[in-house]
Amino acid sequence: MTTAVKSTLPEEARRVTCEALQETLIDLLGLSLTGKQAHWNVVGPRFRSIHLQLDELVSAARGFADTVAERSAALGVPPDGRPETVASGFALPSPKEGWVRDSDVVQLMAESLEKTIGRLRERIDVTEKSDPVSQDLLIGITAELEKQRWMFDAENFPRDA
């Protein structure tokens, strides 16, 4: 692969690392879109607090997406955040069309975050040998998303209420 930016990683390590970064970029961009869709359509007695919490999550996901994309570029692989790329690679739960009850939004976001975190943990394992710098980046993202998941999950406690 010819590149405008020379990587400091050996080719195979760069391939493995940038594949993990690209998959993470798609998850983060999709998560931010899911969060915004829910943000615009949440209804219910906890509207305001969840509306604001969604903004916090979206801001974090967008910031992380930028960091991940820039890491890929720094390694000589152009990141791909085009809408068609995100749409074809997105594999997280999404909100239904129209208004969404506050408790359903909370459940959706907890599930989306849980799946994102699981996928991130797989990529943390994959990048351990190929690029500890990118692994560290993924670890930091995972820690923040776990905090976000905890906050959403705590919103629906007790579950049968």
Side-chain angles (χ1 to χ4, degrees):
M1 171 191 296
T2 55
T3 179
V5 177
K6 183 169 172 37
S7 176
T8 57
L9 294 178
E11 184 56 34
E12 180 60 15
R14 181 175 81 135
R15 185 194 63 73
V16 168
T17 299
C18 290
E19 186 175 289
L21 292 171
Q22 178 61 39
E23 291 168 356
T24 301
L25 178 62
I26 289 170
D27 283 354
L28 291 169
L29 291 172
L31 185 63
S32 74
L33 292 170
T34 296
K36 257 317 176 188
Q37 181 67 22
H39 168 88
W40 295 322
N41 291 288
V42 63
V43 293
R46 296 180 293 161
F47 163 80
R48 182 162 172 74
S49 65
I50 293 169
H51 185 79
L52 295 173
Q53 189 175 354
L54 287 163
D55 266 344
E56 183 180 316
L57 172 61
V58 168
S59 179
R62 287 179 176 169
F64 290 144
D66 189 52
T67 301
V68 165
E70 289 176 353
R71 178 68 185 155
S72 184
L75 294 175
V77 176
D80 189 354
R82 296 173 300 153
E84 59 269 24
T85 302
V86 175
S88 69
F90 187 67
L92 301 174
S94 296
K96 63 180 182 136
E97 185 178 346
W99 306 118
V100 185
R101 180 100 184 134
D102 52 5
S103 57
D104 294 337
V105 167
V106 168
Q107 186 62 35
L108 167 71
M109 296 317 299
E111 289 172 5
S112 293
L113 284 161
E114 184 173 338
K115 188 163 185 182
T116 303
I117 290 161
R119 293 164 58 93
L120 275 163
R121 287 188 173 279
E122 291 171 6
R123 295 176 198 132
I124 287 168
D125 289 343
V126 166
T127 55
E128 179 180 12
K129 286 190 174 40
S130 66
D131 183 26
V133 175
S134 294
Q135 182 195 42
D136 186 57
L137 173 67
L138 298 176
I139 289 169
I141 292 169
T142 302
E144 177 59 29
L145 293 184
E146 285 179 334
K147 178 179 143 190
Q148 292 286 334
R149 185 192 174 284
W150 158 56
M151 291 180 171
F152 277 104
D153 203 36
E155 283 279 348
N156 273 351
F157 184 83
R159 301 259 183 268
D160 39 49

